[in-house]
């Protein structure tokens, strides 16, 4: 597996998709439609998906691509595959809140080993390097060349003063009740897969998700967090969250720095 080529290509495609998304975001019409499950989809989702899917297929024709926006891809069953959410946080996008992301991940034997998370509206770009370590790229994010990067490392948390991050769009009482079992010093709210990246960057210690997610929502963010020394585990039994499940639906999960003593389910 040529991880260096995969990382370079995924980074480039994420930046190109981000530019396509921002053309729509900065325009007068977001082109919002409802999918079959009543969730929103926009012209930006579709353009980004087409760009990423075509780019991955051209560069790595031997690796299947599973993407949120193409139902035909949801029947893929493979040990190695790409998992794509071309625009995670569509609700944040529609409300022009900014913290939506482009997500591309490589899954190998159930584990997201490489990934890129790009938030074009706020200029944050996170990804794994060829060796699996995670970085945030600072600077102008030129498509054809990597800029300066800073290594990502999870926090060394104080269990008596934790920083917790949770969803802007999906907060509920069950999540609040679970968070209430911890000694929380500060609370951060973020949309999309940025929550994983905040934990990876040491800006938060704990991200619990007690709600429905799909694998494409979480894979790239989990890859970034794993490459920074973090963990993502199932809520029910604290075993690692894995990929390639039938239907691509996730159980509830907890993303965290290893130093956080987890409360039981």
């Amino acid at each position: 597996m040529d991880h260096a080529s995969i990382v370079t290509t995924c980074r480039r495609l994420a930046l190109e998709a981000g530019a396509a998304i921002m053309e729509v975001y900065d325009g007068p019409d977001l082109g919002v439609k409802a999918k079959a499950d009543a969730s929103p989809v926009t012209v930006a989702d579709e353009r980004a998906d087409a760009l990423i899917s075509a780019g991955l297929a051209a560069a790595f024709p031997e690796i299947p691509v599973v993407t949120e926006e193409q139902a035909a891809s949801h029947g893929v069953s493979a040990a190695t595959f790409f998992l794509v959410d071309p625009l995670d946080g569509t609700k944040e996008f529609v409300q022009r809140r900014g913290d939506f992301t482009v997500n591309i991940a490589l899954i190998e034997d159930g584990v997201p080993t490489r990934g890129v998370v790009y938030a074009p509206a706020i200029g944050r770009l996170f990804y794994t390097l060829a060796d699996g370590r995670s970085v945030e790229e600072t600077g102008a994010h030129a498509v054809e060349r990597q800029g300066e990067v800073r290594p990502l490392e999870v926090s060394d948390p104080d269990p008596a003063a934790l920083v917790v991050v949770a969803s802007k769009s999906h907060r509920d009482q069950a999540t609040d009740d679970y968070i209430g079992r911890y000694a929380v010093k500060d609370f951060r709210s973020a949309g999309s897969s940025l929550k994983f990246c905040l934990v990876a960057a040491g800006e938060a210690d704990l991200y619990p998700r007690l709600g429905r997610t799909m694998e494409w929502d979480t894979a790239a963010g989990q890859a970034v967090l794993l490459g920074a020394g973090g963990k993502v585990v199932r809520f029910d039994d604290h075993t690692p969250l894995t990929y390639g499940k039938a239907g691509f639906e996730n159980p509830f999960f907890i993303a965290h720095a290893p130093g956080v003593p987890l409360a039981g389910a």
Side-chain angles (χ1 to χ4, degrees):
M1 185 69 65
D2 186 355
H3 288 120
S5 179
I6 286 171
V7 167
T8 298
T9 300
C10 290
R11 174 191 173 277
R12 174 178 58 80
L13 291 173
L15 289 171
E16 291 175 350
I21 288 168
M22 292 306 295
E23 287 182 4
V24 179
Y25 187 72
D26 292 333
D29 182 9
L30 299 180
V32 182
K33 299 179 288 186
K35 293 194 283 191
D37 63 359
S39 62
V41 64
T42 73
V43 171
D45 294 77
E46 295 169 345
R47 290 180 183 175
D49 181 70
L51 190 157
I52 294 168
S53 299
L56 290 175
F60 310 105
E62 73 284 3
I63 303 178
V65 178
V66 176
T67 171
E68 177 182 12
E69 303 306 335
Q70 297 181 35
S73 72
H74 300 172
V76 166
S77 178
T80 300
F81 61 98
F82 288 111
L83 196 49
V84 176
D85 189 345
L87 201 170
D88 183 36
T90 301
K91 291 180 180 178
E92 281 76 18
F93 178 86
V94 170
Q95 296 172 20
R96 288 191 163 92
R97 288 208 296 248
D99 48 353
F100 49 86
T101 55
V102 179
N103 299 267
I104 308 172
L106 175 70
I107 309 300
E108 297 180 272
D109 296 323
V111 179
T113 62
R114 304 294 183 278
V116 56
V117 175
Y118 178 42
I122 61 175
R124 298 196 76 173
L125 174 61
F126 305 88
Y127 52 88
T128 53
L129 300 174
D131 63 5
R133 293 178 298 123
S134 294
V135 297
E136 179 176 7
E137 183 175 328
T138 57
H141 303 151
V143 171
E144 295 302 332
R145 65 182 184 279
Q146 183 187 71
E148 292 293 322
V149 299
R150 68 177 185 93
L152 295 179
E153 185 176 0
V154 295
S155 64
D156 181 12
D158 177 356
L162 296 174
V163 178
V164 178
V165 62
S167 175
K168 284 184 175 179
S169 299
H170 302 284
R171 283 288 297 280
D172 58 16
Q173 191 59 50
T175 301
D176 287 342
D177 289 346
Y178 181 73
I179 292 171
R181 301 170 68 180
Y182 293 88
V184 178
K185 176 187 73 172
D186 196 11
F187 184 86
R188 298 199 61 179
S189 182
S192 70
S193 56
L194 281 171
K195 295 181 286 294
F196 290 98
C197 298
L198 295 185
V199 179
E203 298 173 30
D205 307 312
L206 175 70
Y207 159 39
R209 181 60 185 267
L210 281 66
R212 186 173 187 262
T213 60
M214 304 300 288
E215 292 185 7
W216 43 76
D217 296 318
T218 60
Q222 180 168 338
V224 170
L225 180 52
L226 295 179
K231 296 184 178 182
V232 184
V233 299
R234 294 173 59 107
F235 180 76
D236 53 4
D237 61 8
H238 295 174
T239 59
L241 183 66
T242 59
Y243 290 76
K245 302 180 291 294
F248 297 101
E249 185 170 356
N250 287 325
F252 297 170
F253 64 83
I254 308 162
H256 66 99
V260 177
L262 296 183

